[in-house]
Amino acid sequence: MEVMESARLKPGEVNLGTTIMAVKFKEGVIVGADSRTTTGSYIANRVTDKLTPVHDRIFCCRSGSAADTQAVADIVHYYLQLYTVQEGERPPVETAANLFRELVYQNKDALSAGIIVAGWDKYKGPSVYSINLGGSLNEQPFSIGGSGSTYIYGFCDANYHDGMTKEEAIKFTKQAVALAMSRDGSSGGVIRLAVITEEGVERHFVPGNELPRFWEG
Amino acid sequence: MSGIGTGYDLSASTYSPDGRIFQVEYAHKAVDNSGTAIGIRAKDGVVLAVEKLVQSKLLVPGSNKRLMTADRHIGVATAGLLPDARHLVNRAREEAQNYRDFYRAPIPGKMIADRLGGYVQAYTLYSSMRPFGVSTILGTVDRSGPALYMIEPSGVYYGYHGCAVGKGKQVAKTEIEKLKLTHLTCREAVKEAARIIYVVHDDVKDKEFELEISWVCEESKGRHEFVPKDLVAEAERLAKASLEDEMDED
């Protein structure tokens, strides 16, 4: 069976090297990301915002090609606005995730986008969906993505549990992203977080000099 | 017969001096001359019933159904020209499937009503096509609960608690208004719907009729299904009994 080739950038394209993650807790979801965008080894943007709102209570975390993920997120944002106007209510997270999936799957040859969709809706409450390069959709209690995620699978598996409180989930996400940033050359900068609940969205920011620190040798 | 609209009624693209489109009004007449169809929105679902007039004894009972399904959760009852109805239901099926492909979710009642309303309205714009000669009653159950809509040949549609179209619509509407719809369950609504169809049927003008009755409710797991035969038989028995009671009162 053929395996998808990982990110092949077109000339001039910029990579979201990245560590992204989304975590479901009792009342909502946390989305978190680093802030490094690279073209080769040059850091094109060291304060990137990879957490993009596509609706009031739905965010996506973008990894892969910056251009591709921005374009896809814009299109989904358009369709979700249309949905809201026509149906008169907020779209469910599952609908947003499926729109991403449809775009990624149908254009898999042209895109390189690894996206995590997370948010809150009144039907299912909080939910997290991840869409990989080929365009397959998976719902998960938490999801990690991007090049930096490979270094924190162990940490996440060991430390995640269902029904976390908001504070526990924030700490979990912060620590995981920090660990990935300290090992992955394509991830770094600052940590951006967003907490999404029924009430609204709270954005958090952890500057580079306040990152959680671990054993540094 | 020199009609009311003489001169302004030859095409749907012509207004009359008092702002009417006669072709659309004539389309309504086609609906008014057909067998009655009613829809009742109960507490936990929707019931649709049709007075299917039987033209000939040679017709196989139970064939040529007038109640149609547009998606698992959408039932359609029509009054008027049956071929037009079939065409419209085909369109409804396409719209519903299209929505599922895009959003991976069943189309809500108000959206399918809106799409069909728009579709029907398009046929009132051109002189090259005639308007639809059907009024369509849509019964759906979606995330927000049961919903009942009716689309007329002009393309206008409204949401209803109960509605009726066709020959006996006046009598049917009077009967429906007497019901306390917010308190009815679907099972009770089935009995009421059957009774109303029997009341509405004019034995003098029309001969035989078949009662077709379907529902979308919790019992049918949110799917549009024909009401189980035993419940229909019971409802018909009660309907005939209540008719005889009324006659005895004279």
Side-chain angles (χ1 to χ4, degrees):
Chain A
M1 189 163 94
E2 274 184 24
V3 177
M4 268 300 298
E5 271 198 54
S6 61
R8 190 163 277 178
L9 294 171
K10 307 170 201 65
E13 256 213 310
V14 154
N15 198 359
L16 293 176
T18 298
T19 308
I20 49 172
M21 71 190 277
V23 177
K24 182 164 68 165
F25 66 97
K26 248 193 317 190
E27 298 96 27
V29 296
I30 314 259
V31 288
D34 75 303
S35 67
R36 183 170 289 182
T37 312
T38 49
T39 339
S41 64
Y42 173 64
I43 300 175
N45 186 348
R46 61 191 170 106
V47 285
T48 324
D49 184 5
K50 303 179 188 179
L51 306 174
T52 308
V54 286
H55 206 264
D56 293 351
R57 300 284 186 278
I58 309 176
F59 266 66
C60 73
C61 312
R62 303 181 290 110
S63 74
S65 152
D68 288 353
T69 54
Q70 282 174 15
V72 169
D74 281 350
I75 294 172
V76 173
H77 174 74
Y78 161 77
Y79 278 116
L80 292 180
Q81 281 197 311
L82 203 52
Y83 182 106
T84 310
V85 162
Q86 287 178 332
E87 308 238 356
E89 58 170 43
R90 291 193 176 116
V93 186
E94 188 175 0
T95 302
N98 267 298
L99 290 172
F100 272 107
R101 181 202 46 76
E102 187 74 16
L103 288 167
V104 172
Y105 177 74
Q106 297 294 351
N107 297 291
K108 59 163 87 186
D109 294 337
L111 293 174
S112 88
I115 297 174
I116 302 178
V117 184
W120 182 95
D121 66 62
K122 70 179 186 211
Y123 299 105
K124 278 173 79 167
S127 42
V128 172
Y129 296 84
S130 75
I131 298 142
N132 69 11
L133 255 38
S136 67
L137 178 70
N138 276 105
E139 192 192 348
Q140 296 164 299
F142 77 95
S143 181
I144 54 179
S147 54
S149 68
T150 53
Y151 304 103
I152 52 171
Y153 274 100
F155 173 83
C156 289
D157 287 344
N159 289 80
Y160 177 80
H161 59 91
D162 281 320
M164 283 199 257
T165 64
K166 184 171 105 171
E167 288 66 34
E168 287 176 325
I170 292 180
K171 183 168 170 206
F172 171 63
T173 311
K174 241 188 242 183
Q175 289 193 319
V177 178
L179 283 164
M181 282 159 73
S182 73
R183 281 292 185 180
D184 178 29
S186 310
S187 303
V190 304
I191 300 184
R192 294 194 192 275
L193 296 169
V195 183
I196 309 164
T197 57
E198 179 176 6
E199 281 76 54
V201 175
E202 251 176 52
R203 291 207 96 157
H204 295 258
F205 176 78
V206 183
N209 59 344
E210 284 173 32
L211 292 173
R213 289 166 72 172
F214 304 90
W215 173 83
E216 275 149 27
Chain B
M1 167 169 111
S2 71
I4 321 155
T6 314
Y8 301 106
D9 61 348
L10 292 176
S11 91
S13 66
T14 309
Y15 279 104
S16 74
D18 50 348
R20 295 154 73 175
I21 304 175
F22 280 104
Q23 278 297 304
V24 174
E25 295 191 19
Y26 296 161
H28 271 100
K29 298 255 190 287
V31 174
D32 290 338
N33 287 333
S34 115
T36 317
I38 62 172
I40 296 179
R41 179 179 142 187
K43 245 188 341 193
D44 56 337
V46 184
V47 173
L48 303 172
V50 167
E51 171 205 14
K52 191 174 81 176
L53 298 169
V54 175
Q55 250 70 323
S56 147
K57 291 208 169 85
L58 292 172
L59 287 170
V60 175
S63 65
N64 303 310
K65 292 208 185 298
R66 276 200 28 213
L67 288 174
M68 296 170 269
T69 307
D71 196 342
R72 288 227 292 236
H73 61 299
I74 305 176
V76 185
T78 53
L81 305 172
L82 194 49
D84 284 15
R86 296 225 171 101
H87 177 90
L88 198 54
V89 170
N90 270 327
R91 179 76 189 200
R93 288 173 181 161
E94 278 170 29
E95 293 283 359
Q97 191 52 47
N98 214 283
Y99 188 96
R100 274 191 191 267
D101 285 344
F102 199 68
Y103 292 111
R104 287 281 177 282
I107 188 169
K110 65 176 188 260
M111 301 283 304
I112 184 75
D114 191 65
R115 289 193 184 192
L116 287 180
Y119 186 69
V120 169
Q121 187 271 347
Y123 284 75
T124 67
L125 295 170
Y126 309 106
S127 57
S128 54
M129 297 192 291
R130 65 165 174 80
F132 277 91
V134 276
S135 273
T136 314
I137 302 179
L138 289 173
T140 66
V141 171
D142 58 39
R143 271 192 316 239
S144 349
L148 184 66
Y149 289 91
M150 179 172 63
I151 305 150
E152 297 174 25
S154 58
V156 76
Y157 70 92
Y158 298 104
Y160 292 89
H161 287 283
C163 61
V165 282
K167 271 186 189 152
K169 72 171 186 234
Q170 270 315 114
V171 178
K173 276 189 202 163
T174 319
E175 286 300 314
I176 294 175
E177 276 167 26
K178 292 183 195 160
L179 301 172
K180 288 215 172 61
L181 292 167
T182 39
H183 298 295
L184 270 186
T185 65
C186 262
R187 286 205 145 229
E188 291 161 3
V190 166
K191 297 187 189 132
E192 293 297 339
R195 184 185 62 79
I196 293 172
I197 295 284
Y198 270 87
V199 164
V200 146
H201 179 70
D202 187 338
D203 282 318
V204 177
K205 283 207 197 122
D206 306 305
K207 294 161 231 174
E208 291 294 304
F209 82 101
E210 269 177 52
L211 169 69
E212 256 180 64
I213 183 160
S214 69
W215 61 7
V216 194
C217 61
E218 272 168 39
E219 260 198 69
S220 72
K221 299 197 185 76
R223 296 187 188 171
H224 180 240
E225 289 175 350
F226 284 96
V227 175
K229 287 204 177 75
D230 52 345
L231 190 49
V232 177
E234 171 71 12
E236 280 189 299
R237 192 185 59 76
L238 287 170
K240 287 179 190 153
S242 96
L243 266 186
E244 281 172 18
D245 286 345
E246 277 174 31
M247 278 160 41
D248 288 341
E249 271 164 31
D250 278 344

